[in-house]
């Protein structure tokens, strides 16, 4: 049975690690707080007392951490993965971080004989629990193939999108489009409500044509109901748009909508809505219109 | 057999009028240029020499015209519909125009005993030919019911979305979301191409998650191929965003994305791309990035 | 003594008309409410019971009205200036309105033998009282020369900027730059306050370099003090930016900053600050940052 | 005679170092390329073979470098200032860099007994040559006083704006306002040109009112003439706006105009205009309007 180290047992990491156990892997987990490992232990996994202990004899290492500095610390620190995992280990970072950091980690790992992938996901907590995440993987094709049994245990769609960093690049683009769709739907809903339109009928007709989107189908009714319980937290989406705009700037890509969207998620966080669902961009629009206190 | 006057035999109006004939209506058509009536005549319809002649004994009148001033002229002018159609006539304007003009036409019609609907459509030339348009109708519920046999001949989804003007309001929101989705997909594609990502794989993974949209599914590959043959012309979409931003302003709704999108479609037209498909917003982004001559 | 009809005795029109009396003109005033004429009567002017009565025997007619529709009604209505002023009369509209309306009024006036100018002003209530307004005049050079004795009584700087409509065009550009400078100073002040900088010293150093502007010199300290008593009302500036963006669109000029500024003044009005000074754009930025309730 | 180490002899540093020599200081200069020191040597200064050699016995150290990483390397590297300057040395960084880096350098310096100031400047090459720069200094008041003889030799206005990092914060705000004013003037000029207005007269009237600014006075005529020889290079202004938007984000300040301006300077660089004067933002607007090839 293949040994897997899983670092980062948060809202996403917990069910992902449990799904690996269910698929027959021997999973040793580590997280900052030991309590986070309870689900993993219940599923039949083990607790590793430290990153070093977790990775020392692993065939594969997976990280699922909040932000770029976390991955840098866990991957590149003296007690971290690159310094302590055996040569030949497959290291898959599934966090959403900056593409340039992903490329740096991959280069450092390669220098020590690790086979590194950046493989961020979409699909949210629901997809993590159900094992139906979409995985966008960057790295060598052979390493993506080697990782497939692991990734298949956690996701429904596994796509190799390019070399190191490409997974994070695609994830950044994903977050641009999602934030943009939420903001567009928010502007449209506030506009329709202000005009005395039958909004439910309007949403039905919009969803059926070229304006249709997954955001409109899944999020419009909770947005209209003012239900913004996360879900995917605004503050994480704000972080992701900072990643997107920085990566776009680095690549000399001009993004008029990306620029304004980063301001809007920033406004949501500054206004105290950082822990609400990202669909709470609607509240920024409502405040701009004087419709919220 | 019910007599229908159909004014405006352009790219959309021509197949719509022909579909009414096929459904058994007696259609008298009028357009500025007589040649535009050829399809209608071939289908079994008649040519009316003028608006006045077309509407004088009609049970129902339909207009499908380019812009607000056209509807104002045809509906409210001395030789127009309101002054010449018999009291009780059902008047359905299916053009995409300003909601305030739609409300003004409805009020003028009501004062002369007409039953007025604003019923713009989405679905494009394809939907007009196939009779699968989506129709968003504003006006009295009883009048929408009365119009349903006519609308069913042209569309697949007929929804009553509110009082006079509501159809145009929903159409304006539709055009906001469509333009926004095109621009988001354009920014994402230019970003992905600049980064050496496998863009086809990336589009597949984006389409499968919360970033999914009809625009992404239907338009991304032609945008990547640089194929911008219309389709729905940029200059019409630019007009529609002017309608949206004016209606939003009138309703005191702030639309950060709407504002920037109207600038981008304006740029496309100023750069000479007004007659290309609206997905040519991609070319505006490419020019901003110095990627087009 | 030359007879002048002055229509529109608001905050600006009142002192302007009084300055004409002081300069020796025989001024007959008209406004919607008779009370508005008190200052004019006290200065030695006369009350005209109607527009028709005011203009019938005038050598020159001046209008100073809130918005485009007001000018259209007073200039082009059946009881209005164009129909009732003698041929050869000089008609100077000093309101801030849409350039295309100014051109339409000028054409209608010319058809009846009037010599028309659009001559909007900057300088505010203070400049109107002190007779130090800046006047940007559009029309024929000879007519500007003929109007100069009148304009000199009200303003300190009189510039002929082009043909009919040019005055309004320049005024629209003026309002773009003023709103933009206010917004820039607002963003800078909120940023500096958030960082624990000595803001007074910072403003001094900013004002002395390439960042210097009249807005920074005249408005920064009241903005910092939260004093937003008008002054020039936000709702009028919002109207002016709608004029600018519409005129830019008509001329196929893309204005990224103009587009966002119109959204920001719209937000200020929607948030209930329409009657505050236009420098209250600072409150929109503060609300975006969660700094105001 | 007080010994001063001057690191960074570029377009700005060269004349600044020479002015220190003229004021009677004993200046030892260092730059990556020895040729850069020629002006300093001609003025009577000395060449220091390395940073270490330059700072070892200096009473004061000044750096004038392109960007944050350069300052980090020179200040914090093993052969750098903090490790090699004697305790008690005054270290003044006059580069324009990120406020957080300035605070980090100040903290590292303080830990080794250095007295650190961040003191970026405005005024450009002209001000550097003439010794008329504006200096915005962050740090302890006593250290600003101690630095004043040095700063007076290079600048005309020396202002203490707050604690460590405050100088960079004010400089970032300065760059926001300057870029914004350039973009506003560019939009206004393109708009006025498109309308057949007498643009020179229009600029005169705009400059005299609330729209007046140093940018309008100093830059409008060269912008109209299409003369964009630097001056201050676009690519540096683009870097500065990245600093501003990152610092604003860190401080939870929402900057709608800052966001769009960073996109516009990014577009200018992507379009190949990075080495032109920053007033070439006008070319971005002209390209958006289809007015440049």
């Amino acid at each position: 049975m293949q040994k897997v180290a899983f670092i980062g047992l948060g809202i996403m990491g917990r069910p992902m690690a449990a799904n690996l156990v269910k698929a027959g892997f021997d999973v040793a987990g580590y997280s900052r707080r030991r309590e986070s490992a309870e689900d993993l232990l219940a599923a039949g996994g083990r607790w590793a007392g430290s990153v070093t202990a977790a990775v020392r004899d692993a065939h594969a290492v997976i990280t699922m951490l909040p932000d770029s500095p976390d991955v840098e610390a866990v991957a590149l620190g003296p007690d971290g993965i690159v310094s302590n995992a055996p040569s030949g280990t497959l290291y898959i970072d599934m966090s959403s971080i900056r593409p340039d950091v992903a490329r740096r980690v991959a280069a450092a790992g390669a220098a020590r004989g690790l086979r590194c992938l950046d493989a961020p996901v979409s699909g949210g907590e629901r997809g993590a629990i159900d094992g139906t995440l979409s995985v966008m993987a960057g790295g060598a094709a052979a390493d993506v193939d080697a990782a497939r049994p692991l990734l298949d245990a956690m996701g429904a769609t596994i796509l190799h999108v390019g070399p190191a960093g490409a997974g994070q690049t695609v994830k950044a683009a994903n977050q641009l489009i999602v934030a943009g769709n939420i903001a567009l739907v928010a502007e449209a809903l506030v506009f329709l409500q202000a005009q005395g339109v039958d909004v439910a009928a309007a949403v039905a007709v919009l969803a059926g044509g070229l304006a249709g989107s997954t955001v409109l189908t899944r999020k419009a009714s909770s947005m209209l109901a003012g239900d913004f319980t996360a879900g995917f937290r605004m503050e994480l989406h704000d972080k992701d748009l900072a990643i997107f705009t920085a990566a776009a700037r680095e690549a000399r890509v001009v993004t008029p909508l990306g620029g304004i969207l980063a301001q809007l998620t920033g406004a949501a966080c500054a206004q105290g809505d950082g822990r609400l669902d990202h669909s709470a961009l609607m509240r920024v629009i409502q405040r701009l219109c004087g419709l919220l206190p």
Side-chain angles (χ1 to χ4, degrees), chain A:
Chain A
M1 194 163 60
Q2 228 191 344
K3 289 184 176 175
V4 179
F6 200 110
I7 320 291
L9 300 167
I11 289 177
M12 295 293 288
R14 251 185 312 243
M16 291 164 70
N19 279 332
L20 286 169
V21 174
K22 280 177 215 157
F25 293 97
D26 172 14
V27 180
Y30 179 74
S31 210
R32 260 183 313 188
R33 298 182 313 121
R34 206 202 141 118
E35 309 88 271
S36 307
E38 276 169 26
D39 290 4
L40 175 61
L41 300 179
R46 295 176 293 117
W47 171 251
S50 68
V51 172
T52 312
V55 308
R56 200 164 284 146
D57 61 351
H59 298 102
V61 178
I62 295 175
T63 46
M64 190 63 181
L65 298 162
D67 203 352
S68 306
D70 307 296
V71 173
E72 283 184 291
V74 166
L76 305 180
D79 301 325
I81 296 162
V82 167
S83 297
N84 294 284
S87 180
T89 301
L90 197 58
Y91 168 34
I92 313 168
D93 177 38
M94 303 186 77
S95 323
S96 291
I97 63 167
R98 284 165 37 198
D100 62 313
V101 173
R103 285 189 289 265
R104 191 138 43 83
V105 166
R112 300 285 295 243
L114 302 193
R115 297 141 68 204
C116 296
L117 298 176
D118 53 297
V121 303
S122 67
E125 187 182 1
R126 190 73 261 153
I129 292 170
D130 297 345
T132 58
L133 294 167
S134 288
V135 181
M136 34 213 110
D143 296 340
V144 175
D145 287 341
R148 211 168 281 270
L150 292 154
L151 299 176
D152 280 338
M154 297 178 282
T157 310
I158 319 295
L159 278 164
H160 180 214
V161 293
Q168 299 298 349
T169 298
V170 175
K171 179 65 191 282
N174 186 77
Q175 297 303 78
L176 165 75
I177 296 179
V178 171
N181 269 303
I182 290 173
L184 288 165
V185 169
E187 291 188 11
L189 293 179
V190 171
F191 173 70
L192 293 169
Q193 286 182 312
Q195 304 264 17
V197 162
D198 177 343
V199 180
V203 167
V205 72
L206 293 172
L210 193 50
S213 68
T214 311
V215 164
L216 189 63
T217 305
R218 286 204 207 151
K219 295 276 185 187
S221 63
S222 59
M223 288 163 76
L224 283 167
D227 174 9
F228 299 111
T229 45
F232 185 69
R233 289 205 308 281
M234 182 70 78
E235 62 196 11
L236 290 174
H237 212 139
D238 184 51
K239 175 210 76 171
D240 289 347
L241 286 183
I243 290 172
F244 172 75
T245 51
R249 166 169 281 275
E250 188 196 2
R252 295 250 153 152
V253 173
V254 184
T255 63
L257 270 65
I260 198 119
L261 289 165
Q263 296 294 329
L264 294 177
T265 55
C269 294
Q271 291 168 352
D273 287 352
R275 301 186 75 78
L276 297 185
D277 187 67
H278 53 164
S279 57
L281 271 180
M282 177 132 169
R283 288 165 59 86
V284 176
I285 304 299
Q286 288 172 318
R287 283 203 195 87
L288 278 169
C289 300
L291 297 171
L292 282 186

